[in-house]
C-alpha cells in the first residue's frame, strides 16, 4: 500500500495510556481497531491523521459477555465474532442477522461494531439495530468513564458525540426479557460487499410493542416514533401494515447518491418495512424465516 503521507504510530498497552496519548496529541489523531475504514482512507489519501493509535493490544477490549440483562460487546469484537457467538444468536439474534449482511467475510473478520458506529456514515448497518435495542456506548476519556445513549450518539453524517480524546470500550445492549422477534432488512445493489441503499430494523416485543429504525435514508440512522406509536398494542395485520407504510415518508428523508436515487429509496422503504414487520411478528410467535435468511 502506498503511503499518502507520513504519520506517527503508537500502540499503547492500556486504555489509560491510549487516552493519555490522544489527550496530549490533540485533534488529528486516529484510533485504529479493525482498520477497515482507516486503511483504505490512508491508501486513498482521504484520511491524513498526524497520529495513528493502535488499540488492538489493549487487554479487556475484546470479547462478548452477558451480565444480568445486558449483552456487552467489546470494542475489538469483530462482526465475525458476533456471527459466531452463541450468546448473540440466543439473546440478541437481530445483531447476528445484521452482522451477516456486513460487507464480505474478509471485512467481517476485521471490522468491529464500534468502528462501524464511530465511522457514523448514514448507511452503517449497526446503527438501526442498536437504536431499536436502546443500546449505550461505553467510553473512557481524560475525565474518566461515561455512557452515551445510542439515541444521542449520532450527531450528523460521519460525526458522533465522542470526544477527541475519548475511546469507545464497549457497546452494551439490554437483552429483551421473555420472547421477542426481530428482523433486519438491508437493500443493496447486489449480493456481497456493498453498503446499504436503505435498511430497516424491527424489534417485536410482548404485548404488541414494536420498535423500528431506518438506515441510509436520513443524515443519521433514525428511529421511527410515529410508526412505533401507530403499532403499539395492536396485532399486525394487512390494514395496520398499510397504515404503517403510509408513515414512512414522515419518518425518513432519503437523498439521491451514487448507490440509489431518492425515488427508488422512497419506493422500496415501505416494502422493506412490511417484510420486516411480518418477519419480526412471525419470529415472535416462534415461526417465520430463520435469522440470517434474505428478506429482500
Amino acid at each position: 500500500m502506498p503511503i499518502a503521507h507520513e504519520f506517527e504510530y503508537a500502540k499503547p498497552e492500556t486504555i489509560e495510556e491510549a487516552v493519555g496519548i490522544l489527550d496530549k496529541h490533540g485533534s488529528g489523531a486516529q484510533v485504529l481497531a479493525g482498520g477497515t475504514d482507516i486503511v483504505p482512507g490512508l491508501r486513498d489519501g482521504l484520511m491524513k491523521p498526524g497520529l495513528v493509535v493502535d488499540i488492538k493490544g489493549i487487554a479487556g477490549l475484546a470479547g462478548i459477555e452477558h451480565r444480568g440483562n445486558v449483552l456487552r460487546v467489546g470494542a475489538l469484537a469483530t462482526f465475525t465474532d458476533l456471527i459466531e457467538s452463541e450468546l448473540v444468536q440466543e439473546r440478541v439474534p437481530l445483531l447476528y442477522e445484521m452482522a451477516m449482511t456486513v460487507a464480505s467475510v474478509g471485512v467481517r473478520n476485521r471490522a468491529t461494531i464500534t468502528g462501524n458506529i464511530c465511522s457514523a456514515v448514514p448507511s452503517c448497518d449497526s446503527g438501526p439495530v442498536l437504536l431499536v435495542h436502546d443500546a449505550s456506548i461505553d467510553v473512557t476519556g481524560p475525565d474518566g468513564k461515561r455512557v452515551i445513549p445510542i439515541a444521542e450518539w449520532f450527531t450528523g453524517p460521519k460525526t458522533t458525540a465522542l470526544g477527541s480524546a475519548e475511546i469507545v470500550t464497549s457497546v452494551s445492549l439490554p437483552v429483551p426479557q421473555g420472547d421477542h422477534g426481530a428482523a433486519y432488512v438491508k437493500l443493496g445493489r447486489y449480493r456481497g460487499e456493498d453498503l446499504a441503499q436503505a435498511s430497516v430494523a424491527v424489534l417485536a416485543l410482548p404485548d404488541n410493542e414494536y420498535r423500528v429504525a431506518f438506515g441510509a435514508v436520513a443524515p443519521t440512522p433514525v428511529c421511527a416514533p410515529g410508526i412505533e406509536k401507530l403499532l403499539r398494542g395492536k396485532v399486525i395485520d394487512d390494514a395496520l401494515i398499510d397504515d404503517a407504510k403510509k408513515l414512512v415518508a414522515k419518518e425518513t428523508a432519503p437523498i439521491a447518491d451514487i448507490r440509489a436515487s431518492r425515488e427508488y429509496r422512497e419506493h422500496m422503504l415501505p416494502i422493506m418495512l412490511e417484510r420486516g414487520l411480518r418477519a419480526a411478528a412471525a419470529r415472535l410467535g416462534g415461526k417465520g424465516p430463520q435469522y440470517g435468511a434474505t428478506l429482500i
Side-chain angles (χ1 to χ4, degrees):
M1 182 187 78
I3 298 176
H5 73 286
E6 293 186 356
F7 55 86
E8 296 181 20
Y9 172 84
K11 190 173 184 179
E13 296 182 354
T14 66
I15 191 69
E16 292 78 14
E17 182 185 357
V19 168
I21 292 171
L22 290 174
D23 192 33
K24 181 179 179 180
H25 187 274
S27 61
Q30 180 71 46
V31 173
L32 170 65
T36 54
D37 281 328
I38 186 174
V39 171
L42 289 170
R43 177 195 63 203
D44 298 336
L46 300 176
M47 293 183 179
K48 297 181 179 181
L51 170 68
V52 172
V53 181
D54 185 346
I55 64 171
K56 293 195 296 297
I58 298 178
L61 294 187
I64 301 168
E65 59 184 5
H66 182 233
R67 292 183 180 178
N69 294 325
V70 175
L71 184 80
R72 177 189 171 276
V73 181
L76 296 179
T78 66
F79 285 103
T80 295
D81 291 333
L82 296 176
I83 292 169
E84 295 179 348
S85 168
E86 292 184 3
L87 276 175
V88 171
Q89 294 178 34
E90 294 174 2
R91 305 289 183 175
V92 191
L94 182 58
L95 199 59
Y96 162 83
E97 182 156 88
M98 175 276 295
M100 288 288 290
T101 73
V102 174
S104 64
V105 173
V107 171
R108 292 194 292 268
N109 287 344
R110 298 288 301 178
T112 65
I113 189 172
T114 53
N116 194 235
I117 60 171
C118 284
S119 69
V121 295
S123 60
C124 71
D125 290 298
S126 304
V129 171
L130 296 181
L131 282 169
V132 298
H133 272 287
D134 197 24
S136 58
I137 317 304
D138 308 304
V139 308
T140 298
D143 297 325
K145 299 179 180 180
R146 68 179 179 124
V147 177
I148 305 174
I150 187 64
E152 301 173 9
W153 175 260
F154 299 104
T155 57
K158 299 184 180 181
T159 61
T160 72
L162 188 70
S164 61
E166 290 183 318
I167 295 176
V168 176
T169 56
S170 63
V171 175
S172 297
L173 294 83
V175 176
Q177 299 303 296
D179 294 333
H180 68 279
Y184 182 67
V185 187
K186 177 177 178 178
L187 179 66
R189 293 169 293 182
Y190 43 78
R191 297 190 67 178
E193 185 172 354
D194 192 24
L195 296 174
Q197 294 173 302
S199 62
V200 181
V202 178
L203 179 61
L205 299 168
D207 299 322
N208 297 314
E209 179 182 355
Y210 287 83
R211 298 176 184 169
V212 180
F214 294 97
V217 291
T220 68
V222 292
C223 293
I227 294 174
E228 293 174 348
K229 182 179 180 180
L230 170 72
L231 299 174
R232 188 172 299 124
K234 301 174 185 175
V235 176
I236 293 292
D237 59 21
D238 292 347
L240 183 60
I241 288 176
D242 286 342
D243 288 341
K245 289 163 67 175
K246 294 174 184 176
L247 296 179
V248 171
K250 297 182 179 181
E251 307 278 23
T252 61
I255 62 171
D257 59 19
I258 193 172
R259 291 192 299 280
S261 67
R262 174 178 59 82
E263 292 80 6
Y264 181 60
R265 287 185 166 104
E266 290 174 340
H267 173 74
M268 290 302 298
L269 279 172
I271 297 171
M272 297 167 67
L273 175 63
E274 176 174 355
R275 295 190 183 184
L277 287 172
R278 291 190 185 279
R283 287 167 172 171
L284 174 62
K287 301 177 182 179
Q290 290 186 342
Y291 283 97
T294 301
L295 298 177
I296 196 165

